[in-house]
């Protein structure tokens, strides 16, 4: 019997996979535990429509990330930190502060977890910071750190 898996099943396969199993295994284990459904014409059509919808949504999210990349790379944010004598800074600039600066200065919402800082920014200057907007899209944001 052919079965469409609704969840990952360890010995059979991943979710949405179509697998061939023994009739008894399907009727007594897979279907009653809602791990899968019989692969008849209607269920196959539903699976095809669901996959098409997921692909459409993924494409829209990707295109949105590309447009956001263009907006992020056009601008520059300025972050001010306090400094003592001889230009020595107090603390460092975190991804949270950069995300707040992007929100205030560029009117864009970027999650602080998407901002990738290799090291803490502890000196004044202009930095190139990577912002991972999507699995395949990474933007480069200019961050200017100056004295408050």
């Amino acid at each position: 019997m052919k079965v469409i898996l609704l969840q990952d099943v360890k010995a059979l396969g991943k979710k949405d996979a179509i697998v061939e199993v023994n009739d008894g295994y399907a009727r007594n284990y897979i279907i009653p535990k809602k791990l899968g459904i019989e692969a008849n014409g209607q269920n196959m059509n539903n699976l095809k429509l669901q996959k098409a919808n997921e692909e459409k949504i993924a494409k829209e999210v990707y295109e949105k990330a590309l447009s956001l990349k263009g907006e992020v790379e056009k601008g520059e944010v300025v972050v001010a930190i306090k400094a003592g004598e001889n230009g020595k800074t107090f603390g460092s600039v975190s991804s949270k502060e950069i995300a707040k600066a992007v929100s205030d200065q560029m009117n864009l919402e970027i999650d602080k977890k998407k901002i990738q800082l290799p090291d803490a920014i502890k000196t004044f200057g202009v930095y190139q910071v990577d912002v991972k907007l999507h699995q395949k899209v990474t933007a480069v944001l200019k961050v200017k750190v100056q004295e408050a």
Side-chain angles (χ1 to χ4, degrees), residues 1-61:
M1 173 185 280
K2 287 193 175 198
V3 177
I4 300 171
L5 296 178
L6 299 175
Q7 300 176 17
D8 292 352
V9 179
K10 190 173 185 178
L12 289 179
K14 301 271 186 197
K15 179 182 177 194
D16 293 336
I18 301 170
V19 294
E20 182 78 35
V21 294
N22 291 335
D23 291 355
Y25 185 58
R27 279 193 224 105
N28 295 325
Y29 183 75
I30 300 285
I31 295 171
K33 293 199 179 241
K34 303 207 185 321
L35 298 174
I37 55 176
E38 185 179 348
N40 58 25
Q42 181 182 2
N43 291 339
M44 295 287 283
N45 192 31
N46 288 344
L47 176 66
K48 191 183 299 183
L49 291 173
Q50 180 183 353
K51 284 187 176 184
N53 188 34
E54 288 173 359
E55 287 175 11
K56 180 183 172 197
I57 291 171
K59 185 177 179 183
E60 288 174 358
V61 169

Side-chain angles (χ1 to χ4, degrees), residues 65-74 110 114-116 128-134 136-142:
L66 282 177
S67 67
L68 184 59
K69 176 184 178 179
E71 293 179 38
V72 167
E73 290 184 342
K74 283 182 199 171
I110 294 179
K114 295 184 180 205
I115 298 173
Q116 299 175 328
Q128 305 286 331
V129 177
D130 289 339
V131 181
K132 189 155 181 120
L133 300 172
H134 184 270
K136 300 176 186 172
V137 180
T138 302
V140 178
L141 174 67
K142 288 183 186 173

Side-chain angles (χ1 to χ4, degrees), residues 81-131:
I81 57 175
K82 293 183 180 179
E85 295 178 20
N86 303 330
K88 184 157 173 71
T89 60
F90 294 127
S92 62
V93 177
S94 66
S95 59
K96 181 179 177 182
E97 292 168 326
I98 294 172
K100 185 170 181 353
V102 168
S103 175
D104 294 344
Q105 296 170 24
M106 298 176 73
N107 295 324
L108 298 173
E109 290 300 319
I110 294 179
D111 188 12
K112 68 178 182 179
K113 295 173 189 161
K114 295 184 180 205
I115 298 173
Q116 299 175 328
L117 288 174
D119 297 319
I121 298 174
K122 295 184 178 186
T123 57
F124 301 119
V126 179
Y127 295 89
Q128 305 286 331
V129 177
D130 289 339
V131 181

